[in-house]
Amino acid sequence: MDILDGKALALERRAALAVWVQERLSVAGRPPGLSVLVAGDDAASATYVRSKERAAAKAGIQGEVQNLPAGISQNELLARIHALNADEAIDGILVQLPLPKELDENEVLDAIDPEKDVDGFHPSNSGALWQQRGRVAPCTPLGIMHLLAAHNIEVCGKHAVVVGRSNIVGRPMAELLLQKNATVTIAHSRTTDLPNLLSSADLVVSAVGRAGFIQPEWLKPGVVCIDVGINRVDGRLVGDFQWQGLENVASAATPVPGGVGPMTIATLMHNTIASWARHCGLDSSPT
Ligand code: GUN
């Protein structure tokens, strides 16, 4: 079984992006700017955001994190987004999810200028993605597509099962796989007989968030396993796939940690730099 090392690939991509930015800095006249808004004190969010901050600095992006109190009002959060929309030094705005439950997530995401929406969560961007004319795709699914391509894993004609139907991962993942001509099934918590469905899958992307949920004996020999789950068990991080025994059935799998997570961050850098390139009128976009 090949271990799909997202950490190594992400470092490589981030280094290439840093060079890409460096070479265009004088033409652009200013560095790329990314602002990350975090409301409340979700521990997992804090960890992700610190990684995003470090990665941004290394890629030559001017990063800013606004740590906001859990009790922030909807209007105050919207006002901060409006200010960033108007700030010419900012190319990317990311509101870390989940938001405290008192806040209206849809209204917040709708307030972000679609031109600065580096998550691709604004309805005009997610709608465009589903019509195959998207400008930006959500970071986790796009990072997974890059990881598959880097390992020459062909999805055309394959049966891909995406387990999970969130706006962040499952739905855009299904669309990106469809654009590469996979036959896609979206499974979720109400799916009856998931083991039977998975037995015909050539590629499984799991974004369920339950440690060791997907059993190797459910899977088809040769399957490629992409694990988006990040679950803490006894202080360790584990994915959604039961790792033990997986090597006997899968041809390739992403580890947790060190698989999908780092690719998400590298893709956020990519999306921010692509947005900067557009805003500064550069004549190309990073690959
Ligand atoms: N929470 C978990 N993943 C993500 C992501 O990709 N973007 C944002 N904004 N929040 C998240």
Side-chain angles (χ1 to χ4, degrees):
M1 179 174 83
D2 291 339
I3 307 291
L4 305 175
D5 185 347
K7 191 172 171 188
L9 181 63
L11 278 172
E12 212 177 281
R13 285 184 66 80
R14 284 167 43 198
L17 286 168
V19 172
W20 199 91
V21 169
Q22 193 59 41
E23 287 173 353
R24 289 159 181 83
L25 212 44
S26 59
V27 176
R30 63 169 181 83
L34 171 67
S35 187
V36 177
L37 305 184
V38 195
D41 45 15
D42 184 70
S45 289
T47 309
Y48 302 147
V49 168
R50 270 195 301 277
S51 309
K52 287 170 183 173
E53 213 174 355
R54 277 197 299 269
K58 289 191 180 150
I61 295 170
Q62 201 86 43
E64 159 201 76
V65 177
Q66 295 190 19
N67 285 301
L68 309 169
I72 189 170
S73 72
Q74 181 80 9
N75 282 343
E76 169 68 16
L77 183 53
L78 292 174
R80 286 182 183 254
I81 292 171
H82 292 143
L84 293 168
N85 285 343
D87 185 339
E88 289 188 355
I90 294 293
D91 302 291
I93 303 169
L94 181 146
V95 176
Q96 186 66 28
L97 303 177
L99 284 171
K101 59 182 184 319
E102 296 74 21
L103 297 174
D104 180 343
E105 183 176 300
N106 285 341
E107 192 183 28
V108 168
L109 296 179
D110 289 0
I112 297 172
D113 179 348
E115 270 289 334
K116 299 190 176 187
D117 169 30
V118 282
D119 262 326
F121 293 165
H122 190 280
S124 72
N125 284 323
S126 56
L129 186 72
W130 279 90
Q131 292 190 3
Q132 305 174 71
R133 49 183 174 135
R135 200 175 38 203
V136 57
C139 301
T140 298
L142 185 58
I144 290 170
M145 297 309 287
H146 286 148
L147 189 61
L148 292 170
H151 288 270
N152 297 314
I153 295 172
E154 183 55 76
V155 302
C156 175
K158 300 287 172 59
H159 183 203
V161 176
V162 178
V163 191
R165 53 178 158 178
S166 70
N167 291 333
I168 299 179
V169 182
R171 286 168 199 257
M173 184 79 253
E175 171 58 19
L176 292 179
L177 288 165
L178 185 59
Q179 286 180 10
K180 294 290 180 193
N181 302 306
T183 300
V184 183
T185 307
I186 304 181
H188 46 77
S189 53
R190 303 289 180 89
T191 296
T192 53
D193 207 351
L194 181 65
N196 182 48
L197 179 66
L198 292 182
S199 70
S200 69
D202 303 302
L203 172 74
V204 177
V205 180
S206 179
V208 172
R210 285 171 65 182
F213 172 63
I214 298 197
Q215 306 294 309
E217 57 269 26
W218 299 350
L219 302 170
K220 179 167 143 178
V223 65
V224 173
C225 302
I226 304 294
D227 201 335
V228 187
I230 300 179
N231 312 292
R232 198 171 283 279
V233 175
D234 299 333
R236 275 187 326 122
L237 292 182
V238 299
D240 289 348
F241 286 84
Q242 162 88 55
W243 194 254
Q244 201 180 355
L246 197 64
E247 72 278 9
N248 298 325
V249 57
S251 61
T254 59
V256 176
V260 172
M263 292 304 296
T264 298
I265 292 173
T267 307
L268 173 64
M269 303 305 122
H270 172 273
N271 285 354
T272 303
I273 292 164
S275 175
W276 170 71
R278 278 197 313 277
H279 295 156
C280 295
L282 302 184
D283 55 10
S284 61
S285 191
T287 49

